Amino acid sequence: MSVRGLVVPIVALVLRTGAAWAHTFEPALLDLREREPGVFDVVWRPPGEESGALLPGAPPLVPRLPAACRTVAELGASDEHTATRVDCGPARLRGAAIAVPGIAGSRVDAIVRVTWNDGLAASGVLRSDGEDFVVPASPAGGAAALGTPATVVAWRYGTLGVAHILHGYDHVLFVIGLFLLVGTTRALVATITAFTLAHSLTLAAAVLGLAALPSAPVEAMIAISIVLLARELLRDDAEPSTGQGRPPTLTRRFPWAMAFTFGLLHGLGFAGALAEVGVPADQIPLALVAFNVGVEVGQLLIVGALVVVAALVRGARGPFEVLRRVPPYVMGSVAVAWTIERIIAFW
């Protein structure tokens, strides 16, 4: 099979799956905020159909509130969420069970948040092993007593970080590009560290409200960063006329600086994922640290797999020499498609 014959099906496959999986981490979110005693505004955001979280043919997920709750107003609906106002009586949901029927046995996680008008809050996660969340019955002990335990927050947001980096194919392609650019040397450690530091800074700034950019242009710029990285990987280091070596580009000389610059963009993309999920108000530092640790673990898993592959093909000759240019072409092709798609989406 020719190189072109190999590249075309690879590009087609990745384009078909990649567009659906770039930033596809979309847990469901059920947010209940008390307006006055016993009256809550309820926002339900199910997972997107493109996320693949629901099994084919499965009915849509609809939350089930306690029987004491009655709907008093419809606040609006869209393709992404529904909003209603309910009156749950003097018990104010305390001690009641909130469920999302059908989530057991699915691939969906649902985050439930209840916030009372006195500042107390409770939250929990519904997943395949259980579809009910029992709201704490007593407010004694303050907000911390009703909030999610620290160990649960650390574990949950850590796993969210791992899932997001592994399911966000644009981030995966960028990490692969960094690996191909610098190889398995100390420069790789510095480059990945710079990338991690940069996206940690912008992620924290966005979550804390210190930085805000529209998500659509950010996603487009992330795709462009992959295009530029792929172009650098395909750059011929020899002058076509003389065959003499060219001076290395700034990217080749200082890959950590490029990784840091583009990492700032990727951090804003991570912030978009956290914005979908929400961060417990009383556990923001812990949630941020856990999410970043999860992202770093995911990156290390990717790099570890690449190191194994590199060790297996190291020293190979013949067709492998030609195939070394296939990954940058695939990366660039997919990233160009993402760029066009994302620019059209907000233009």
Side-chain angles (χ1 to χ4, degrees), residues 3 6 25 32 39 50 91 112 118 161 179 238 241 258 280-281 308:
V3 173
L6 179 65
F25 171 68
L32 302 97
V39 178
E50 71 279 3
V112 181
D118 55 7
F179 179 87
S241 58
M258 179 274 298
V308 172

Side-chain angles (χ1 to χ4, degrees), residues 6 28 48 67 69 75 79 135 165 183 191 204 226 260 265 267 269 273 278 300 306 321 337:
L6 179 65
C69 297
L75 302 181
D79 293 338
V135 182
I165 189 68
T191 303
I226 302 171
F260 184 88
L265 282 176
L300 291 176
L306 293 172
E321 287 296 319

Side-chain angles (χ1 to χ4, degrees), residues 84-206:
T84 57
R85 184 167 295 158
V86 298
D87 186 345
C88 296
R92 303 171 66 187
L93 286 179
R94 292 196 171 106
I98 298 172
V100 179
I103 203 170
S106 72
R107 294 183 295 232
V108 178
D109 287 352
I111 295 177
V112 181
R113 292 198 307 248
V114 182
T115 306
W116 288 272
N117 58 8
D118 55 7
L120 298 178
S123 60
V125 180
L126 306 180
R127 50 177 66 90
S128 59
D129 56 357
E131 57 186 33
D132 289 0
F133 167 64
V134 179
V135 182
S138 171
L146 291 177
T148 307
T151 53
V152 175
V153 171
W155 173 255
R156 190 63 201 140
Y157 281 86
T159 55
L160 293 185
V162 174
H164 185 66
I165 189 68
L166 296 181
H167 291 170
Y169 284 177
D170 40 8
H171 298 308
V172 171
L173 285 185
F174 193 80
V175 172
I176 292 174
L178 293 179
F179 179 87
L180 295 175
L181 182 68
V182 299
T184 56
T185 64
R186 285 184 297 178
L188 177 63
V189 176
T191 303
I192 294 294
T193 300
F195 180 63
T196 300
L197 177 61
H199 69 61
S200 300
L201 289 175
T202 47
L203 171 61

